[in-house]
C-alpha cells in the first residue's frame, strides 16, 4: 500500500509521531528524506529492519510503508508517506534512554503552548492529511479533556514489544523494559511522557488514534466492573434497587410443546447399554470408591426406580420371547442377562458383571464372539444391547396361573356421603370406564356399599338388575354367597350398569350417620382372598362401627415438639395388620377420602402404603369445585397400564448393597418387595451402602428386576441395568444430583 486514491479522505486521525518519547524534541531543521520514505519502524520509531535515522544501504531509503493496526499507512508530519517529522534523530539502537531531569533542573525546552505545523499535500494522491499538533511532553493534545487535580488518570496503552512497529511513537505511548507499567489512577513515572495523541483521563478507543492493544485493568477497575455485574437483576426490582431493570422477561423465548418437555426431561444416557433414566437412575453420577469418601459425601447415595414409566416416544420397550432354554441368569446371584456381562472362550462362557461368577452358556443360546469379546448377534438381541428390556417368563416363574384383573368398589353410602353429593359422580365415573378397563374380556368387578351395615350385590350373568343382600353383623362379617359377587364384566355388563344407574337414588333417603368401614374392609378381603386385585375405598364419614374406629386424636399442643411424629403414625394396629394380609393376598388398596371433619389420614394411608396403593384426599368436598377432579382421577386410576402380582428386587455389584427402600410396598424378605399392583404412577427409591472399605474395579453395576403378571395374562420380567464409575473425590458426584421431594412419584433433575 503506497498511498490512497485521489479524492479519498484520510480514514481516521493521523498516527502519532514519536515526539512523546523522552529525549526527543521538535527540530525544525530536520528534513525528511528525498524520496519521502520512512524507516521501517515508522516515524521516530525503532524498526526491526533498520536503525533510527539511517537509510538503507546505498543511500536509498527502502520503499516500505508499513500499515498501522487499522490497516492504513502511517500518516506523516508533512503529508509525504513515510516522511520523518522534524526533530533530532532518536538515540542509537540499544542506547539507554535519557533519565528524568535532575532535581531542580529546568524542564525540556519547547514552545510554551506548542506549535502547529501545516502538512503539505501528499504528492500524487490529492489527499491533504489533517493538521498534526505538536505539544509539550506531558500535555494533552488540543481539544482533549484534561482531568482536574486529583482525578484518576487511566494509564496509556502499551505497545506489543519494545522495537515493534509502534516503536517509541506507538499507540498511547511506550515504556522501556526497565520501567514498571503505570498504576491505574496513580502518579505517572518520572522520565516518561505520554505519546502524542494519547487521551488523558481514559483509554483510547480501539482503532482510533493512539490504540494498539486492549487496556489493562488494574485491581480497582476490575472490582468496579464486577460490582456492576453483581448489581444486575432480572425481573422486578428488589427493595432499594432501581425500579427499571432494563430487561423485559416477556421478551425471552420460552420452550413450548415438545421443546418444553425436553427442557425438563432426564438426559439421554451417554452409553446406549445403560437403561433409560425414565426407568432407573442413580442419584449421582459417580460411586464413592472408599467408605471415607462416602462419609464426606453427605447427600444420600442411591437410585430411583420407575419400572412402569411411560416409554420415550418412538422407543417402546422391547419384549423378548426366549426359546425352551429359558432366561439366561447367573447361577450364584441370579442376575438376568444384560449388556454388561463379559463373554469368554468364544462365547461358551460368560462372567456375571455383579458377582464375577463364570457360568456356562446354554448350547441353544450359543453364538461366537469377535475380536473385542462381543457376541456376533450383539445387535440382534435387545438383551445384549439395551439396558431396558422385558422378558416373557416361562412356566417356572409362576406360583399359580395369572389372575384376571379384578376391581372391587367399596363405597360409603352413609348420610354424610349422600349429603356431600359424591355418589352420582362416583357412579358416572365408573360407568364411563367400563370399556377402558385393562384386561378386556378377562376383567372382573364387584361392589360393596356400607353405612352402619354391609350391602352385597349379586350380579348374575344375564340378569337385568342386581340383587342386594344386607349383612348387619359387623363384629364378625361374612360373605352371604360365595359366588356371583365377583363376576366377569362382559358376562354381567347389564347388571353392573343397572347397579351404577340406581346407586344414587337407592340411598337418597338414608339417615344413618354411622360408618362400618373396618368390617367392610374385612368382607372385601374375604371376597378377594383367592383372586387378588384392586380395592377402591370411597370413605366420607368417620369410621365408628366395628374394628378400625377412628378417634379425634389431633393435638395441636404437640406441633413443633419431639412428640409430633406420633400424630403421623397409625393409632390402631388394625390398619397395618390388615394391609400386610392384603399384600400377601395380592390385594392393592386405593383410598378416596371426602370427610368434612377430622379423618385420621395417617391411619388410612397405611392401607395404601403397604399394598402399593394411593391416597386421594378431598377435604370439604364440593361437587361444583371437586367433581371434575374426582372424575378425572377415577378415570386415570382405572384405565392406566397396570401390572399385577408383582415382586421387585434390586441387585448391586460386589461391595455394595441396598440399605433402605422408600415408597409404597411391603418388604417380603431382606431385598424382595411385594407389589400387588404396579403402574406408571409408582416410583421407588433405594439407598446404597458400602460393605467394603475399598471397592475393587473401575465401575459399579445395578439391576432392577420386576416380575409381574400383565393384564392379558402373561407372566413377564422387566429389567433395567445401569453402570457408574468409581470416584475417589466428592466433586464428580456433586455435578449431577437429583432432588426428590418427599412423597413425589416422579423425579426431575436440578437445572
Amino acid at each position: 500500500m503506497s498511498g490512497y486514491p485521489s479524492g479519498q479522505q484520510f480514514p481516521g486521525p493521523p498516527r502519532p509521531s514519536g515526539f512523546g518519547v523522552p529525549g526527543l524534541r521538535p527540530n525544525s531543521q530536520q528534513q525528511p528524506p528525498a524520496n519521502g520514505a520512512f524507516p521501517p519502524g515508522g516515524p521516530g520509531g525503532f524498526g526491526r529492519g533498520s536503525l533510527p535515522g539511517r537509510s538503507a544501504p546505498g543511500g536509498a531509503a527502502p520503499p516500505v510503508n508499513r500499515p498501522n493496526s487499522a490497516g492504513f499507512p502511517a500518516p506523516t508530519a508533512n503529508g509525504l508517506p513515510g516522511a520523518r517529522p522534524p526533530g533530532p534523530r532518536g538515540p542509537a539502537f540499544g542506547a539507554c534512554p535519557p533519565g528524568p531531569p535532575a532535581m531542580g533542573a529546568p524542564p525540556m525546552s519547547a514552545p510554551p503552548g506548542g506549535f502547529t505545523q501545516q502538512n503539505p499535500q501528499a504528492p500524487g494522491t490529492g489527499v491533504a492529511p489533517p493538521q498534526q499538533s505538536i505539544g509539550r511532553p506531558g500535555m494533552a493534545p488540543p481539544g482533549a479533556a484534561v482531568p482536574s487535580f486529583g482525578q484518576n488518570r487511566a494509564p496509556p496503552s502499551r505497545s506489543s514489544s519494545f522495537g515493534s512497529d509502534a516503536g517509541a511513537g506507538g499507540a498511547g505511548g511506550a515504556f522501556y523494559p526497565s520501567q514498571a507499567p503505570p498504576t491505574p489512577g496513580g502518579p505517572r513515572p518520572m522520565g516518561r511522557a505520554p505519546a502524542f495523541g494519547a487521551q488523558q483521563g481514559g483509554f483510547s478507543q480501539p482503532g482510533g488514534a493512539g490504540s494498539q492493544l486492549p487496556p489493562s485493568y488494574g485491581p480497582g477497575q476490575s472490582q468496579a466492573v464486577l460490582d456492576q455485574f453483581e448489581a444486575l437483576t432480572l425481573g422486578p426490582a428488589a427493595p432499594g434497587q432501581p425500579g427499571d431493570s432494563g430487561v423485559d422477561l416477556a421478551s425471552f423465548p420460552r420452550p413450548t410443546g415438545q421443546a418444553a418437555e425436553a427442557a425438563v426431561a432426564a438426559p439421554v444416557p451417554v452409553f446406549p447399554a445403560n437403561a433409560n433414566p425414565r426407568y432407573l437412575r442413580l442419584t449421582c453420577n459417580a460411586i464413592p470408591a472408599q467408605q471415607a469418601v462416602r462419609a464426606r459425601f453427605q447427600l444420600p447415595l442411591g437410585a430411583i426406580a420407575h419400572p412402569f414409566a411411560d416409554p420415550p416416544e418412538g422407543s417402546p420397550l422391547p419384549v423378548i420371547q426366549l426359546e425352551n432354554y429359558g432366561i439366561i441368569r447367573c447361577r450364584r446371584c441370579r442376575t438376568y442377562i444384560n449388556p454388561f456381562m463379559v463373554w469368554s472362550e468364544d462365547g461358551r462362557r460368560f462372567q456375571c458383571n455383579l458377582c464375577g461368577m463364570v457360568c456356562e452358556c446354554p448350547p441353544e443360546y450359543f453364538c461366537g464372539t469377535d475380536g473385542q469379546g462381543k457376541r456376533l448377534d450383539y445387535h440382534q438381541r435387545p438383551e445384549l444391547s439395551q439396558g431396558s428390556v422385558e422378558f416373557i417368563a416361562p412356566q417356572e416363574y409362576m406360583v399359580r396361573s395369572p389372575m384376571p384383573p379384578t376391581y372391587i368398589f367399596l363405597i360409603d353410602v352413609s348420610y354424610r356421603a349422600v349429603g356431600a353429593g359424591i355418589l352420582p359422580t362416583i357412579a358416572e365415573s365408573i360407568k364411563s370406564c367400563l370399556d377402558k378397563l385393562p384386561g378386556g374380556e378377562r376383567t372382573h368387578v364387584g361392589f360393596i356399599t356400607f353405612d352402619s351395615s354391609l350391602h352385597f350385590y349379586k350380579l348374575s350373568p344375564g340378569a337385568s338388575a342386581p340383587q342386594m343382600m344386607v349383612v348387619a353383623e359387623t363384629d364378625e362379617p361374612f360373605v352371604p354367597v360365595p359366588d356371583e359377587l365377583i363376576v366377569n364384566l362382559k358376562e354381567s355388563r347389564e347388571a353392573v350398569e343397572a347397579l351404577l344407574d340406581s346407586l344414587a337414588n337407592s340411598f337418597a333417603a338414608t339417615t344413618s350417620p354411622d360408618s362400618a368401614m373396618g368390617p367392610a374392609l374385612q368382607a372385601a378381603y374375604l371376597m378377594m382372598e383367592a383372586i387378588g386385585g384392586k380395592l377402591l375405598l370411597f370413605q366420607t364419614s368417620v369410621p365408628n362401627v366395628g374394628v378400625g374406629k377412628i378417634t379425634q386424636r389431633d393435638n395441636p399442643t404437640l406441633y413443633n415438639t419431639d412428640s409430633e411424629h406420633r400424630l403421623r403414625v397409625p393409632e390402631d394396629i388394625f390398619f397395618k395388620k390388615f394391609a400386610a394380609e392384603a399384600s400377601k393376598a395380592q390385594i392393592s388398596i386405593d383410598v378416596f377420602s371426602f370427610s368434612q371433619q377430622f379423618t385420621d389420614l395417617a391411619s388410612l394411608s397405611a392401607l395404601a402404603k403397604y399394598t402399593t396403593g394411593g391416597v386421594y384426599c378431598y377435604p370439604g368436598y364440593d361437587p361444583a369445585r371437586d367433581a371434575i377432579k374426582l372424575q378425572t382421577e377415577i378415570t386415570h386410576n382405572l384405565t392406566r397400564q397396570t401390572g399385577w402380582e408383582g415382586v421387585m428386587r434390586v441387585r448391586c455389584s460386589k461391595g455394595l448393597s441396598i440399605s433402605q427402600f422408600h415408597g409404597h410396598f411391603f418388604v417380603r424378605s431382606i431385598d424382595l418387595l411385594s407389589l400387588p399392583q404396579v403402574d406408571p404412577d409408582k416410583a421407588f427409591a433405594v439407598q446404597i451402602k458400602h460393605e467394603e472399605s475399598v471397592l475393587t474395579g473401575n465401575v459399579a453395576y445395578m439391576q432392577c428386576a420386576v416380575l409381574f403378571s400383565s393384564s392379558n395374562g402373561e407372566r413377564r420380567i422387566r429389567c433395567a441395568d445401569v453402570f457408574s464409575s468409581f470416584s475417589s473425590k466428592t466433586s464428580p458426584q456433586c455435578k449431577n444430583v437429583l432432588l426428590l421431594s418427599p412423597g413425589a412419584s416422579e423425579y426431575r433433575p436440578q437445572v
Side-chain angles (χ1 to χ4, degrees), residues 524-691:
Y525 174 81
L526 296 177
M527 290 174 53
M528 305 174 64
E529 182 179 9
I531 192 173
K534 176 181 288 190
L535 175 62
L536 284 80
L537 170 62
F538 299 89
Q539 176 268 337
T540 304
S541 299
V542 178
N544 58 359
V545 176
V547 295
K549 297 179 182 179
I550 291 180
T551 60
Q552 175 66 31
R553 66 178 182 124
D554 189 23
N555 188 0
T557 60
L558 298 180
Y559 294 168
N560 299 323
T561 65
D562 295 339
S563 301
E564 183 179 0
H565 69 280
R566 299 177 183 176
L567 303 176
R568 310 291 180 255
V569 296
E571 182 184 24
D572 193 344
I573 195 63
F574 162 78
F575 296 98
K576 188 173 182 179
K577 290 180 62 177
F578 179 83
E581 293 296 328
S583 176
K584 185 178 180 180
Q586 302 297 336
I587 300 174
S588 175
I589 304 176
D590 289 330
V591 179
F592 292 79
S593 178
F594 308 92
S595 180
Q596 298 183 1
Q597 53 186 331
F598 174 79
T599 300
D600 193 359
L601 285 181
S603 298
L604 294 179
S605 62
L607 300 173
K609 179 178 180 180
Y610 298 103
T611 61
T612 329
V615 178
Y616 303 83
C617 184
Y618 303 84
Y621 178 82
D622 183 5
R625 179 192 62 195
D626 302 325
I628 297 179
K629 178 184 177 183
L630 174 61
Q631 184 176 7
T632 302
E633 292 185 337
I634 292 177
T635 302
H636 175 72
N637 187 294
L638 296 178
T639 59
R640 62 191 174 187
Q641 180 191 9
T642 306
W644 311 87
E645 304 174 302
V647 290
M648 186 179 79
R649 177 175 274 123
V650 180
R651 299 177 174 90
C652 297
S653 295
K654 183 179 179 181
L656 300 173
S657 64
I658 305 300
S659 60
Q660 293 184 18
F661 298 89
H662 304 274
H664 284 192
F665 50 80
F666 185 80
V667 181
R668 184 177 298 181
S669 62
I670 297 178
D671 59 346
L672 186 65
L673 308 183
S674 175
L675 310 177
Q677 68 92 25
V678 59
D679 51 69
D681 296 330
K682 302 298 186 299
F684 312 93
V686 298
Q687 287 187 244
I688 303 174
K689 70 176 182 180
H690 286 64
E691 292 185 338

Side-chain angles (χ1 to χ4, degrees), residues 334-354:
R334 307 302 295 166
T335 300
Y336 294 92
I337 187 74
N338 60 78
F340 306 110
M341 289 187 171
V342 181
W343 296 88
S344 60
E345 297 185 13
D346 198 20
R348 294 179 177 85
R349 293 187 178 185
F350 64 91
Q351 183 179 16
C352 178
N353 59 307
L354 296 185

